[in-house]
Amino acid sequence: MYKSSYLNNLLENVKAKYGEQKEFVQAVEEFFDSMDFFVNKEPKIEENAILERLIVPERIITFRIPWVDDAGKIQVNTGYRVQFSSAIGPYKGGMRFDKSVNLSILKFLGFEQIFKNSLTGLPMGGGKGGSDFDPKGKSDAEVMRFCQALMNELYRHIGPDTDVPAGDLGVGAREIGYMFGQYKKLTNTFTGTLTGKGLTFGGSLVRTEATGYGLCYFASEMLKTYKNTDFKGKKVLVSGTGNVATYAIKKARELGAIIVGVSNTRGYIADTNGLDVDLILDIIARNRREFLDEYLKIYPNVKTGNVSRDLWKTPCDIALPCATQAEINLENAKTLKDNGCFMVAEGANMPCDLEAIRFFNENDVLFAPGKASNAGGVAVSGLEMSQNSLRMSWSFEEVDAKLKGIMQNIFKNCYETAKKYGNEKNLALGANIAGFLKVYEAMLAQGVC
Ligand code: GLU
């Protein structure tokens, strides 16, 4: 129950109307948690129905994706693009290909993206899309035909000033390349309509590393500000073996951390003396799926298990959940705290559930919400858009320095906003309010639309 009856009524309506969209409802509730006293201070929010408007996407496009597999059989998937908010810029956000994809997940991701993109300081609205296509076990030719089939419909809804998709789970450089090729063919234009492109056709250096590196830059600011320390000698757990986790492991190690546990969907490995990071990075690059088996062949004595979330039972100082949503629940949160973990920074989108977040905030565990700490990926996407518009490309060092500056600014903005509103340790509060303010002002200025 909130103090504000406006918020209580709204949340009740959201639950009644979208009750079955549990991920979306959680994202809205997590955001409302930070809005309780703020809506009373700012009566214009209610007067202008800002939140009512914000929780309904400007547009949702759902479409059929028919494609032919290698056996000559016709397959049909569902494609989506949720164009959530264009208040501060063209819709911007990734495409996710995973069999779990549904409207609830894409609405939650799109909603988060509004505030995340706002926090980067770059002019990007919020959007998200994807398909229930499962890339696992598909041939390269099948992935290409699928991406082309998807773009045959999506192309009419996107554009460099309208909506700029990128990657997310299951969508990397290969898929972006195929989608870009088909977009270019259909529109006969060479524009920066997709980000995460290959370096030879408009992609930006550091885009691949950006989310994982950005997470560590953000976490470093937390360590410095709250604890007057850094990553050196800290025991760190990282979940996931995808793009975000890979570069988080790499950067954390570079900053002096000891990686004591890593997981994927099949289980985890842990060693409180530190895992062999070079070997981990080598296996991930070659054979992500067999990651645990390969590691265990060389280090048969490390602790292991086939339940991924048991990773969180490993004693650590810092946890970086980088796999996917809902990987840390209340029980995992309590275990982490009991075993000495003092900081959790989200690399994935919403890996901690609402009860876990509330537990961290109430029990003195520093917590960084993904919309702030994983914004590095979309920030470099924004820099890719700038480079494309300028028809220029910046060096690795230039982009990395800009990324670092953006992550430091996001931290500062979240921290100072949290402090201003009475709880300097609550970065979720800071991120939600700071991200919201810019969107809110833009919405007020643009009238009822
Ligand atoms: N999918 C990433 C995210 O969740 C990046 C989106 C983008 O680069 O547009 O922020």
Side-chain angles (χ1 to χ4, degrees), residues 92-94 113 116 128 166-168 195 207 349 377-378 381:
K92 179 81 195 89
Q113 203 83 39
K116 184 193 308 197
K128 202 86 188 187
D168 195 78
T195 61
R207 178 63 191 85
N349 289 311
V378 75
S381 276

Side-chain angles (χ1 to χ4, degrees), residues 163-345:
D163 184 355
V164 182
D168 195 78
L169 277 187
V171 179
R174 174 180 65 165
E175 291 74 15
I176 294 290
Y178 292 145
M179 286 193 273
F180 180 81
Q182 189 71 356
Y183 179 81
K184 179 166 68 77
K185 187 178 168 73
L186 291 167
T187 60
N188 195 24
T189 57
F190 193 112
T191 64
T193 298
L194 287 134
T195 61
K197 299 185 288 297
L199 293 175
T200 53
F201 54 99
S204 174
L205 285 159
V206 198
R207 178 63 191 85
T208 316
E209 296 84 351
T211 314
Y213 279 19
L215 172 67
C216 292
Y217 295 148
F218 190 95
S220 297
E221 293 305 302
M222 293 171 75
L223 288 168
K224 189 164 75 189
T225 309
Y226 293 114
K227 300 271 179 192
N228 195 23
T229 185
D230 55 28
F231 265 113
K232 266 185 223 97
K234 302 290 180 303
K235 297 196 167 182
V236 175
L237 296 176
V238 182
S239 62
T241 46
N243 180 260
V244 182
T246 304
Y247 292 100
I249 292 171
K250 206 169 163 190
K251 185 54 88 179
R253 195 260 306 253
E254 198 183 303
L255 296 171
I258 304 163
I259 308 296
V260 291
V262 177
S263 66
N264 69 3
T265 50
R266 295 182 180 187
Y268 77 99
I269 45 170
D271 183 342
T272 44
N273 293 317
L275 293 165
D276 181 341
V277 171
D278 288 323
L279 180 66
I280 292 174
L281 296 174
D282 175 58
I283 305 174
I284 291 178
R286 279 187 293 106
N287 187 2
R288 240 173 75 184
R289 286 186 63 70
E290 304 305 325
F291 167 70
L292 297 175
D293 292 343
E294 283 221 22
Y295 193 92
L296 288 165
K297 254 188 246 157
I298 297 178
Y299 291 100
N301 297 324
V302 294
K303 200 164 186 305
T304 185
N306 58 11
V307 178
S308 308
R309 58 171 78 238
D310 283 350
L311 172 74
W312 311 120
K313 291 182 178 161
T314 314
C316 70
D317 299 308
I318 299 168
L320 303 176
C322 295
T324 188
Q325 67 269 7
E327 358 165 10
I328 296 185
N329 58 24
L330 180 60
E331 195 190 319
N332 305 137
K334 286 182 175 165
T335 311
L336 279 166
K337 161 93 184 162
D338 287 347
N339 289 332
C341 175
F342 67 83
M343 183 170 126
V344 178

